[in-house]
Amino acid sequence: MNLLVSKYWKILLSLAFGVVAFLFWWLAYPVMTAYQEQYQLFLFDSDYICHLLSVPDGLARCIGEYFVQFYINHALGALVLAVLLVLIQRITTWIMKSIYTGAANAHYALSFLPSLFLWLILGDESVLLTFSVALLMGLAVMGLFEWLPVRFRAFFIIVIIPCLYWMAGSVVLMTAAYIALRLLQEKPLTRKAVVSAVLVLAYAVGCIVASAWYVPYPLEQLFRGVDYYRFVEVFYTLPAILMAVCALLPLAMRWLPSAKGRQALVIGIAEGVVLIVAFLLLRPLFYDARKYEVMEYDYLVRCKNWSAIIAKAEKKTPDLPSTVCATNLALAMKGQLGDRAFEFYQNGVQGLLPQFERNFSTLLLAGEVYWQLGLVNTAQRYAFEAMEAIPDYSKSCRAVKRLVETNLINGQYDVARKYLQMLEKTVSYRKWAQRTKKLLGDEKAINADPVYGHMRQLRLNDDMLFSEQELDKIIGQLLMQNPKNGMAMQYLLLYPLLERDINKFMNYMTYVDGLKSGYRPRICQEAVAFAFAQRNQQPPQGFVNPLVMNSFSDFARIYSAGSNAAALERFKNTAWYYLMVGR
């Protein structure tokens, strides 16, 4: 056993690294893979694939999108990323050993540096898998350069530089810089080597400049990578720094001391500890907890896991517009909004019904609220706008699926069929598309469907445009049309309270009480007690629970006495605290 470990310890260490990476993405950050998957739509279609391959870095993007579609399964997504990181580490080792075997063996821990750096960069959700695949391809070409006999290298460079550029994009600059530096390391250094190094770099740059005449991208974008980063107009510097590290690290072996036995072990452990500590210290900077909180809420909304949303909010009160919106939606779906809304932070009606913003990362979440209310056309508009707002002009599988559902409910079967035909060309949504396609034109089956039939009962019969300043009136229309729309009832009563309009609330409460006598959730009782107190009257007998009245009396006494905020803190989960003190 000891002999086996001593012989294959490097491979075992790489496998251990892969296991840790897999567990990281699978258990700690599964929302990242879900986030990436929902903002692309890879089609098994010749026209689509040819379109991808027709631009620089097209093959890397094609491979990246192919694997991202499996991110819908968190374990598979984590496995893809773990394998990618291990491959980059192993190829880096291969290159290091090809140049300076002794130093590479002593400094094996440094071969993990590019993978760890990439691991950190992937914390930015806008870094696409295209970049990781392109980086792997560039490193593989560097390894092939070292493997080839010297007499074949000139021909190899002439052929591989333009091919690598078209397959992997601007990562060719990393490979060209590495080859140029390797040529400059010849001993003795000759004029021919210097000229060759300059020509290699000029050749790579020339390929990029020449391609600008044939592809519809600005030259600046071609140099930074067409599909490396989701925001195509933003130059994210860290990938460029990582490429520089990958090009220079193997060459640095020349200046690092060789070692064997115990000395090599000590050096390896010391370097490994430094890398691990640096990674742990830098990770919070790259994996922003607030950003990932929003992503997790959005993912839970997509999965309709309302209980998990409420449980998460109970552990840490959400205070961002998107997270507040998701929490209110979950409470409403569980029928708890009328009792528990003020147990959580509220930031006005924006946390209930977000206004339209052309932001692809929030529109889908906001659209889910309108969908659950029964405002099918608004949900359709939000889904379409979210897809059109994606910065790299990709399509969204989540948005396309919602567009199928809204058009199916509205009876727009030709439009629904068009989107279903797209989903039939995917791996993850093919079976769903095939099942849903059978519903097209079958009114009886649609009306009997537990989801689509229910949504047809909730939606407004008369299509209309409405102002975002009149959302409460539209919710009222939904409730008038279908008194069983429990979510509309909860939203209608909470809306004026979040506006701090007690008179409007009393009008809505009167209507709801006549519609569903006995519906008196806690915050409504609190608001009624507050409204009647403003009139110096007592609420109707039996309308407000005596415990609520006693609590309100205590609040009014302390508030009237001018006590400090700390004395009122025990009432912070009540409607009157929100109305009088705020958040």
Side-chain angles (χ1 to χ4, degrees):
M1 183 66 180
N2 292 334
L3 181 62
L4 185 65
V5 171
S6 63
K7 184 176 181 181
Y8 297 105
W9 68 271
K10 294 179 182 178
I11 296 178
L12 293 174
L13 194 58
S14 297
L15 291 176
F17 173 72
V19 170
V20 173
F22 170 79
L23 294 175
F24 177 88
W25 293 106
W26 184 36
L27 300 179
Y29 289 94
V31 293
M32 170 60 88
T33 56
Y35 180 90
Q36 297 287 359
E37 186 269 341
Q38 72 180 356
Y39 290 119
Q40 73 156 52
L41 186 66
F42 182 81
L43 304 178
F44 281 93
D45 180 82
S46 58
D47 290 339
Y48 180 76
I49 293 175
C50 287
H51 167 70
L52 294 182
L53 298 178
S54 64
V55 297
D57 78 25
L59 181 61
R61 181 181 179 184
C62 190
I63 295 172
E65 287 195 1
Y66 173 81
F67 283 109
V68 166
Q69 66 183 328
F70 297 107
Y71 281 13
I72 195 171
N73 182 300
H74 296 323
L76 286 178
L79 181 62
V80 168
L81 291 169
V83 169
L84 194 61
L85 291 174
V86 170
L87 286 176
I88 288 174
Q89 184 269 325
R90 295 301 300 173
I91 292 178
T92 303
T93 302
W94 176 34
I95 300 170
M96 290 167 57
K97 291 181 66 176
S98 299
I99 305 176
Y100 305 106
T101 303
N105 288 330
H107 302 278
Y108 180 71
L110 294 180
S111 67
F112 290 89
L113 178 58
S115 294
L116 288 171
F117 198 162
L118 178 60
W119 192 335
L120 291 174
I121 289 176
L122 290 175
D124 186 334
E125 75 283 0
S126 295
V127 175
L128 303 177
L129 194 63
T130 302
F131 170 69
S132 301
V133 175
L135 186 70
L136 180 63
M137 294 168 70
L139 287 169
V141 171
M142 289 162 54
L144 287 174
F145 174 81
E146 296 296 341
W147 175 76
L148 282 173
V150 175
R151 63 180 181 277
F152 295 125
R153 287 182 176 179
F155 178 75
F156 176 75
I157 292 170
I158 294 171
V159 173
I160 202 62
I161 291 294
C163 291
L164 178 62
Y165 168 61
W166 203 260
M167 293 187 298
S170 59
V171 78
V172 70
L173 296 174
M174 172 190 76
T175 304
Y178 172 81
I179 293 174
L181 290 172
R182 284 289 286 132
L183 293 173
L184 294 175
Q185 284 187 326
E186 289 185 2
K187 292 183 179 180
L189 181 62
T190 62
R191 181 178 179 182
K192 179 181 177 182
V194 173
V195 172
S196 298
V198 172
L199 287 177
V200 168
L201 288 172
Y203 188 34
V205 172
C207 288
I208 298 176
V209 173
S211 69
W213 293 89
Y214 301 100
V215 294
Y217 296 101
L219 186 60
E220 179 185 352
Q221 188 176 351
L222 293 174
F223 270 99
R224 64 172 177 254
V226 175
D227 298 300
Y228 292 172
Y229 199 68
R230 180 169 281 114
F231 291 88
V232 295
E233 296 180 356
V234 175
F235 178 51
Y236 187 47
T237 57
L238 289 180
I241 296 174
L242 175 55
M243 288 190 283
V245 169
C246 291
L248 296 174
L249 178 61
L251 303 175
M253 295 298 104
R254 179 178 182 179
W255 291 279
L256 294 176
S258 299
K260 294 181 180 181
R262 186 180 297 274
Q263 185 182 6
L265 179 62
V266 172
I267 292 174
I269 292 176
E271 291 175 344
V273 169
V274 170
L275 288 176
I276 293 171
V277 171
F279 176 83
L280 294 176
L281 291 176
L282 291 172
R283 187 195 62 81
L285 300 178
F286 289 86
Y287 291 81
D288 186 347
R290 301 274 284 177
K291 178 172 61 178
Y292 276 86
E293 181 184 11
V294 174
M295 291 165 61
E296 184 172 358
Y297 272 97
D298 179 59
Y299 172 70
L300 292 173
V301 167
R302 182 184 179 186
C303 297
K304 298 178 175 53
N305 195 342
W306 313 122
S307 297
I309 293 174
I310 296 172
K312 183 174 177 62
E314 288 172 341
K315 293 179 181 177
K316 179 180 179 293
T317 300
D319 57 359
L320 298 172
S322 295
T323 57
V324 172
C325 172
T327 302
N328 285 331
L329 173 60
L331 290 169
M333 295 303 296
K334 301 294 285 187
Q336 301 175 16
L337 187 64
D339 290 308
R340 304 188 62 190
F342 292 117
E343 291 182 18
F344 306 95
Y345 172 82
Q346 297 292 339
N347 63 331
V349 295
Q350 277 293 300
L352 196 65
L353 290 165
Q355 292 185 351
F356 177 84
E357 294 180 357
R358 194 172 173 80
N359 185 332
F360 73 101
S361 62
T362 59
L363 278 172
L364 290 176
L365 173 60
E368 190 68 33
V369 178
Y370 292 102
W371 167 262
Q372 297 295 343
L373 276 169
L375 293 171
V376 175
N377 290 330
T378 304
Q380 177 173 291
R381 178 168 69 94
Y382 273 52
F384 185 82
E385 292 290 348
M387 187 163 61
E388 293 303 305
I390 297 175
D392 63 347
Y393 315 113
S394 296
K395 299 303 178 186
S396 164
C397 55
R398 180 178 175 184
V400 169
K401 186 177 179 182
R402 178 49 48 85
L403 291 172
V404 170
E405 295 174 321
T406 56
N407 282 285
L408 187 69
I409 291 167
N410 286 331
Q412 301 293 330
Y413 300 126
D414 289 339
V415 180
R417 182 178 286 106
K418 178 187 73 173
Y419 290 120
L420 284 170
Q421 288 172 347
M422 293 173 61
L423 294 178
E424 282 184 310
K425 297 176 182 178
T426 67
V427 171
S428 303
Y429 301 93
R430 179 184 293 115
K431 291 183 179 179
W432 180 87
Q434 291 171 344
R435 289 196 306 269
T436 306
K437 204 170 185 178
K438 296 177 182 178
L439 296 176
L440 296 178
D442 191 340
E443 294 291 323
K444 185 177 180 180
I446 295 173
N447 292 330
D449 187 270
V451 175
Y452 307 135
H454 176 66
M455 294 305 299
R456 279 192 167 184
Q457 293 174 3
L458 295 183
R459 65 175 180 154
L460 291 172
N461 292 329
D462 298 322
D463 190 10
M464 63 179 71
L465 296 174
F466 55 84
S467 168
E468 290 184 338
Q469 282 68 46
E470 299 175 336
L471 282 172
D472 56 330
K473 296 180 176 60
I474 299 301
I475 297 171
Q477 290 284 335
L478 288 169
L479 188 59
M480 290 173 63
Q481 180 176 294
N482 188 343
K484 295 182 180 180
N485 191 335
M487 182 173 169
M489 184 179 295
Q490 295 174 80
Y491 270 54
L492 181 67
L493 292 175
L494 183 58
Y495 193 97
L497 292 180
L498 296 179
E499 288 186 311
R500 296 185 171 85
D501 190 336
I502 196 67
N503 294 324
K504 183 188 288 187
F505 165 78
M506 288 302 295
N507 291 333
Y508 291 166
M509 187 69 231
T510 301
Y511 172 74
V512 170
D513 190 54
L515 194 67
K516 187 178 180 180
S517 179
Y519 179 74
R520 294 162 191 172
R522 181 173 63 84
I523 64 170
C524 292
Q525 294 184 48
E526 293 170 350
V528 168
F530 180 85
F532 275 90
Q534 284 187 324
R535 306 171 188 172
N536 294 319
Q537 299 175 354
Q538 289 292 320
Q541 185 70 28
F543 196 96
V544 180
N545 187 293
L547 293 176
V548 174
M549 285 301 300
N550 291 337
S551 180
F552 176 66
S553 298
D554 292 342
F555 172 82
R557 175 176 51 79
I558 297 172
Y559 186 84
S560 300
S563 300
N564 57 35
L568 297 171
E569 190 69 14
R570 65 188 178 98
F571 302 102
K572 67 179 182 179
N573 294 336
T574 63
W576 50 70
Y577 184 92
Y578 180 85
L579 292 168
M580 296 300 293
V581 181
R583 294 284 182 176

